Amino acid sequence: MTTQPNKLSCIFTCWAVAAAFGVVATVVARVMIEISWPGSVFCGILVAAVLGLLLSTLLCGGSTAPRYVQKAAAAPVSTATAAPTGPTAAAPV
């Protein structure tokens, strides 16, 4: 298990690499594929976000989600359904 400073350094490095790839993707989308500037910026942001999450999860060993999101995901979920109350008559056809 990595220590907290090492893990933060790992996460920062992964996001920095992802941001660099996002910039490259923006330039490639604009120059080579000839997508408009807003479209190429969107592609760059999308590449950076997906790559940052993927790299930080795979290489740094763990989720980068905030703790309250992790606690909510770990909370037990009840799958019981309530029984109907009152008479249940068939609807006329």
Side-chain angles (χ1 to χ4, degrees):
M1 188 76 174
T2 60
T3 62
Q4 190 67 14
N6 289 342
K7 188 170 183 176
L8 289 177
S9 175
C10 178
I11 291 171
F12 178 77
T13 304
C14 288
W15 281 100
V17 168
F21 272 94
V23 169
V24 170
T26 300
V27 171
V28 167
R30 178 65 184 135
V31 174
M32 297 184 81
I33 305 175
E34 298 181 358
I35 298 176
S36 67
W37 276 110
S40 61
V41 169
F42 176 75
C43 289
I45 291 172
L46 187 66
V47 166
V50 170
L51 190 62
L53 285 173
L54 186 68
L55 286 176
S56 62
T57 302
L58 292 177
L59 297 179
C60 300
S63 175
T64 59
R67 288 186 182 153
Y68 63 87
V69 173
Q70 292 174 354
K71 287 181 183 177
V77 178
S78 174
T79 58
T81 57
T85 57
T88 55
V93 178

